[in-house]
Amino acid sequence: MRSALSAGRASRAQFRAALQAIPERERDGWVDRLFGLEALPSDGPELPRGCVPYLPSSVNAILRMIELTQLRSNDVFVDVGSGLGRTLALTHLLTGADAIGIEIQPELARGSRELASRLKARGISVLEGDAAELVRQIPTGSVFFLYCPFSGDRLERVIDDLGAIARARTIHVCSVDLPLPSRSWLGELLVSGELVVCRSQ
């Protein structure tokens, strides 16, 4: 499967079938081995105060996010705090959607780009910098994913910038282990375990 992914020959259906055949408890390790992400890197000095150290989201939460948002190939998926790009790659390979990461730590952003290169995944890109400054620069995003990357003022700014995008069209905002600030435009709350999905209104 790994060589097929690297060569771009595995279809989305084949990849999904292979992943779903793995017991739920073993999926994280299976994906990490497949992607060559077996060791978590240390966080660098670029991580601002109030930001959460890198920890990848579980594969099962990503699968639930794809299902609940009905994410398709014509969507643009944005991972806010994308780390080494596991969520980006997994979402892109399963759906065909373009996937954009925002990552403030240069070493993690570099690792994410290297993963996309190994997979020959042209639909994955990474913006390096602070999400509080960059989210507004991705007005094409339709599904925004946050795995507890930060809180406080930075989160408030990101949610307000997403609100500006939501005024133009419907978006989904998904969070894992992160209570979202209340906003009038954030509606249709769906909860699945630690995952919360809101649809703009």
Side-chain angles (χ1 to χ4, degrees), residues 71-78 97-100 138 140-144 169:
L71 205 153
R72 300 291 181 262
S73 60
N74 60 345
D75 282 302
V76 175
F77 173 75
V78 181
D98 284 347
I100 302 171
I138 314 176
T140 57
S142 54
V143 177
F144 293 84
R169 57 201 173 71

PDB file of all heavy atoms in Angstrom, residues 71-78 97-100 138 140-144 169:
ATOM      1  N   LEU A  71     -17.528  15.704   3.398  1.00  0.00           N
ATOM      2  CA  LEU A  71     -16.438  16.321   2.662  1.00  0.00           C
ATOM      3  C   LEU A  71     -16.191  15.578   1.354  1.00  0.00           C
ATOM      4  O   LEU A  71     -16.093  14.352   1.331  1.00  0.00           O
ATOM      5  CB  LEU A  71     -15.180  16.303   3.541  1.00  0.00           C
ATOM      6  CG  LEU A  71     -14.110  17.351   3.267  1.00  0.00           C
ATOM      7  CD1 LEU A  71     -13.339  17.622   4.548  1.00  0.00           C
ATOM      8  CD2 LEU A  71     -13.158  16.905   2.198  1.00  0.00           C
ATOM      9  N   ARG A  72     -16.119  16.320   0.262  1.00  0.00           N
ATOM     10  CA  ARG A  72     -15.983  15.733  -1.076  1.00  0.00           C
ATOM     11  C   ARG A  72     -14.805  16.357  -1.816  1.00  0.00           C
ATOM     12  O   ARG A  72     -14.185  17.310  -1.346  1.00  0.00           O
ATOM     13  CB  ARG A  72     -17.276  15.951  -1.877  1.00  0.00           C
ATOM     14  CG  ARG A  72     -18.518  15.325  -1.265  1.00  0.00           C
ATOM     15  CD  ARG A  72     -18.462  13.804  -1.323  1.00  0.00           C
ATOM     16  NE  ARG A  72     -19.655  13.186  -0.751  1.00  0.00           N
ATOM     17  CZ  ARG A  72     -19.748  12.711   0.485  1.00  0.00           C
ATOM     18  NH1 ARG A  72     -18.703  12.813   1.302  1.00  0.00           N
ATOM     19  NH2 ARG A  72     -20.861  12.149   0.920  1.00  0.00           N
ATOM     20  N   SER A  73     -14.565  15.863  -3.017  1.00  0.00           N
ATOM     21  CA  SER A  73     -13.398  16.296  -3.792  1.00  0.00           C
ATOM     22  C   SER A  73     -13.480  17.759  -4.215  1.00  0.00           C
ATOM     23  O   SER A  73     -12.449  18.375  -4.497  1.00  0.00           O
ATOM     24  CB  SER A  73     -13.225  15.411  -5.029  1.00  0.00           C
ATOM     25  OG  SER A  73     -14.374  15.478  -5.860  1.00  0.00           O
ATOM     26  N   ASN A  74     -14.675  18.336  -4.252  1.00  0.00           N
ATOM     27  CA  ASN A  74     -14.783  19.746  -4.646  1.00  0.00           C
ATOM     28  C   ASN A  74     -14.689  20.696  -3.447  1.00  0.00           C
ATOM     29  O   ASN A  74     -14.828  21.908  -3.601  1.00  0.00           O
ATOM     30  CB  ASN A  74     -16.079  19.992  -5.419  1.00  0.00           C
ATOM     31  CG  ASN A  74     -17.327  19.656  -4.614  1.00  0.00           C
ATOM     32  OD1 ASN A  74     -17.256  18.997  -3.584  1.00  0.00           O
ATOM     33  ND2 ASN A  74     -18.467  20.102  -5.093  1.00  0.00           N
ATOM     34  N   ASP A  75     -14.453  20.160  -2.259  1.00  0.00           N
ATOM     35  CA  ASP A  75     -14.237  20.989  -1.068  1.00  0.00           C
ATOM     36  C   ASP A  75     -12.778  21.417  -0.989  1.00  0.00           C
ATOM     37  O   ASP A  75     -11.904  20.860  -1.671  1.00  0.00           O
ATOM     38  CB  ASP A  75     -14.599  20.212   0.202  1.00  0.00           C
ATOM     39  CG  ASP A  75     -16.096  20.155   0.441  1.00  0.00           C
ATOM     40  OD1 ASP A  75     -16.715  21.230   0.546  1.00  0.00           O
ATOM     41  OD2 ASP A  75     -16.648  19.041   0.518  1.00  0.00           O
ATOM     42  N   VAL A  76     -12.527  22.402  -0.125  1.00  0.00           N
ATOM     43  CA  VAL A  76     -11.165  22.779   0.239  1.00  0.00           C
ATOM     44  C   VAL A  76     -11.063  22.624   1.748  1.00  0.00           C
ATOM     45  O   VAL A  76     -11.751  23.326   2.506  1.00  0.00           O
ATOM     46  CB  VAL A  76     -10.819  24.217  -0.198  1.00  0.00           C
ATOM     47  CG1 VAL A  76      -9.433  24.598   0.309  1.00  0.00           C
ATOM     48  CG2 VAL A  76     -10.888  24.355  -1.711  1.00  0.00           C
ATOM     49  N   PHE A  77     -10.229  21.700   2.179  1.00  0.00           N
ATOM     50  CA  PHE A  77     -10.053  21.381   3.588  1.00  0.00           C
ATOM     51  C   PHE A  77      -8.892  22.193   4.147  1.00  0.00           C
ATOM     52  O   PHE A  77      -7.820  22.257   3.534  1.00  0.00           O
ATOM     53  CB  PHE A  77      -9.785  19.881   3.744  1.00  0.00           C
ATOM     54  CG  PHE A  77      -9.419  19.470   5.139  1.00  0.00           C
ATOM     55  CD1 PHE A  77     -10.392  19.391   6.125  1.00  0.00           C
ATOM     56  CD2 PHE A  77      -8.113  19.160   5.471  1.00  0.00           C
ATOM     57  CE1 PHE A  77     -10.063  19.013   7.419  1.00  0.00           C
ATOM     58  CE2 PHE A  77      -7.769  18.774   6.757  1.00  0.00           C
ATOM     59  CZ  PHE A  77      -8.747  18.697   7.734  1.00  0.00           C
ATOM     60  N   VAL A  78      -9.097  22.818   5.307  1.00  0.00           N
ATOM     61  CA  VAL A  78      -8.053  23.634   5.934  1.00  0.00           C
ATOM     62  C   VAL A  78      -7.814  23.117   7.353  1.00  0.00           C
ATOM     63  O   VAL A  78      -8.728  23.075   8.169  1.00  0.00           O
ATOM     64  CB  VAL A  78      -8.452  25.127   5.986  1.00  0.00           C
ATOM     65  CG1 VAL A  78      -7.334  25.946   6.629  1.00  0.00           C
ATOM     66  CG2 VAL A  78      -8.776  25.650   4.587  1.00  0.00           C
ATOM     67  N   ALA A  97     -10.152  15.983  -1.889  1.00  0.00           N
ATOM     68  CA  ALA A  97     -10.250  17.431  -1.688  1.00  0.00           C
ATOM     69  C   ALA A  97      -8.861  18.054  -1.595  1.00  0.00           C
ATOM     70  O   ALA A  97      -7.930  17.437  -1.072  1.00  0.00           O
ATOM     71  CB  ALA A  97     -11.021  17.734  -0.403  1.00  0.00           C
ATOM     72  N   ASP A  98      -8.723  19.273  -2.108  1.00  0.00           N
ATOM     73  CA  ASP A  98      -7.502  20.028  -1.857  1.00  0.00           C
ATOM     74  C   ASP A  98      -7.399  20.261  -0.350  1.00  0.00           C
ATOM     75  O   ASP A  98      -8.404  20.515   0.325  1.00  0.00           O
ATOM     76  CB  ASP A  98      -7.531  21.375  -2.580  1.00  0.00           C
ATOM     77  CG  ASP A  98      -7.259  21.228  -4.071  1.00  0.00           C
ATOM     78  OD1 ASP A  98      -6.816  20.149  -4.502  1.00  0.00           O
ATOM     79  OD2 ASP A  98      -7.493  22.211  -4.800  1.00  0.00           O
ATOM     80  N   ALA A  99      -6.180  20.174   0.183  1.00  0.00           N
ATOM     81  CA  ALA A  99      -5.969  20.298   1.620  1.00  0.00           C
ATOM     82  C   ALA A  99      -4.882  21.334   1.871  1.00  0.00           C
ATOM     83  O   ALA A  99      -3.781  21.231   1.319  1.00  0.00           O
ATOM     84  CB  ALA A  99      -5.584  18.953   2.228  1.00  0.00           C
ATOM     85  N   ILE A 100      -5.201  22.330   2.699  1.00  0.00           N
ATOM     86  CA  ILE A 100      -4.272  23.411   3.014  1.00  0.00           C
ATOM     87  C   ILE A 100      -3.994  23.398   4.516  1.00  0.00           C
ATOM     88  O   ILE A 100      -4.926  23.413   5.322  1.00  0.00           O
ATOM     89  CB  ILE A 100      -4.856  24.781   2.619  1.00  0.00           C
ATOM     90  CG1 ILE A 100      -5.192  24.809   1.124  1.00  0.00           C
ATOM     91  CG2 ILE A 100      -3.889  25.910   2.980  1.00  0.00           C
ATOM     92  CD1 ILE A 100      -5.973  26.039   0.696  1.00  0.00           C
ATOM     93  N   ILE A 138      -7.487  32.450   3.295  1.00  0.00           N
ATOM     94  CA  ILE A 138      -7.950  31.225   2.635  1.00  0.00           C
ATOM     95  C   ILE A 138      -9.469  31.286   2.480  1.00  0.00           C
ATOM     96  O   ILE A 138     -10.208  30.476   3.064  1.00  0.00           O
ATOM     97  CB  ILE A 138      -7.527  29.969   3.419  1.00  0.00           C
ATOM     98  CG1 ILE A 138      -6.060  30.057   3.836  1.00  0.00           C
ATOM     99  CG2 ILE A 138      -7.716  28.712   2.559  1.00  0.00           C
ATOM    100  CD1 ILE A 138      -5.585  28.913   4.688  1.00  0.00           C
ATOM    101  N   THR A 140     -11.241  30.378   0.145  1.00  0.00           N
ATOM    102  CA  THR A 140     -11.781  29.228  -0.590  1.00  0.00           C
ATOM    103  C   THR A 140     -12.069  28.045   0.317  1.00  0.00           C
ATOM    104  O   THR A 140     -12.698  27.077  -0.113  1.00  0.00           O
ATOM    105  CB  THR A 140     -10.795  28.780  -1.676  1.00  0.00           C
ATOM    106  OG1 THR A 140      -9.533  28.478  -1.052  1.00  0.00           O
ATOM    107  CG2 THR A 140     -10.600  29.853  -2.732  1.00  0.00           C
ATOM    108  N   GLY A 141     -11.610  28.088   1.571  1.00  0.00           N
ATOM    109  CA  GLY A 141     -11.824  26.961   2.480  1.00  0.00           C
ATOM    110  C   GLY A 141     -13.293  26.699   2.729  1.00  0.00           C
ATOM    111  O   GLY A 141     -14.096  27.627   2.869  1.00  0.00           O
ATOM    112  N   SER A 142     -13.663  25.427   2.768  1.00  0.00           N
ATOM    113  CA  SER A 142     -15.057  25.076   3.053  1.00  0.00           C
ATOM    114  C   SER A 142     -15.196  24.241   4.320  1.00  0.00           C
ATOM    115  O   SER A 142     -16.250  24.233   4.950  1.00  0.00           O
ATOM    116  CB  SER A 142     -15.680  24.330   1.859  1.00  0.00           C
ATOM    117  OG  SER A 142     -14.894  23.207   1.496  1.00  0.00           O
ATOM    118  N   VAL A 143     -14.137  23.529   4.707  1.00  0.00           N
ATOM    119  CA  VAL A 143     -14.129  22.758   5.950  1.00  0.00           C
ATOM    120  C   VAL A 143     -12.854  23.128   6.705  1.00  0.00           C
ATOM    121  O   VAL A 143     -11.743  22.923   6.208  1.00  0.00           O
ATOM    122  CB  VAL A 143     -14.170  21.241   5.694  1.00  0.00           C
ATOM    123  CG1 VAL A 143     -14.085  20.476   7.015  1.00  0.00           C
ATOM    124  CG2 VAL A 143     -15.440  20.854   4.936  1.00  0.00           C
ATOM    125  N   PHE A 144     -13.013  23.691   7.908  1.00  0.00           N
ATOM    126  CA  PHE A 144     -11.886  24.135   8.728  1.00  0.00           C
ATOM    127  C   PHE A 144     -11.796  23.239   9.959  1.00  0.00           C
ATOM    128  O   PHE A 144     -12.794  23.023  10.650  1.00  0.00           O
ATOM    129  CB  PHE A 144     -12.069  25.595   9.142  1.00  0.00           C
ATOM    130  CG  PHE A 144     -11.982  26.555   7.992  1.00  0.00           C
ATOM    131  CD1 PHE A 144     -13.096  26.803   7.203  1.00  0.00           C
ATOM    132  CD2 PHE A 144     -10.793  27.200   7.688  1.00  0.00           C
ATOM    133  CE1 PHE A 144     -13.029  27.690   6.126  1.00  0.00           C
ATOM    134  CE2 PHE A 144     -10.715  28.082   6.621  1.00  0.00           C
ATOM    135  CZ  PHE A 144     -11.835  28.326   5.840  1.00  0.00           C
ATOM    136  N   ARG A 169     -20.376  32.307   2.089  1.00  0.00           N
ATOM    137  CA  ARG A 169     -20.901  30.983   1.746  1.00  0.00           C
ATOM    138  C   ARG A 169     -20.851  30.074   2.956  1.00  0.00           C
ATOM    139  O   ARG A 169     -20.249  30.413   3.983  1.00  0.00           O
ATOM    140  CB  ARG A 169     -20.106  30.362   0.609  1.00  0.00           C
ATOM    141  CG  ARG A 169     -18.667  30.230   0.875  1.00  0.00           C
ATOM    142  CD  ARG A 169     -17.877  30.099  -0.412  1.00  0.00           C
ATOM    143  NE  ARG A 169     -16.469  30.134  -0.114  1.00  0.00           N
ATOM    144  CZ  ARG A 169     -15.823  29.161   0.488  1.00  0.00           C
ATOM    145  NH1 ARG A 169     -16.461  28.075   0.853  1.00  0.00           N
ATOM    146  NH2 ARG A 169     -14.534  29.267   0.744  1.00  0.00           N
TER     147      ARG A 169
END
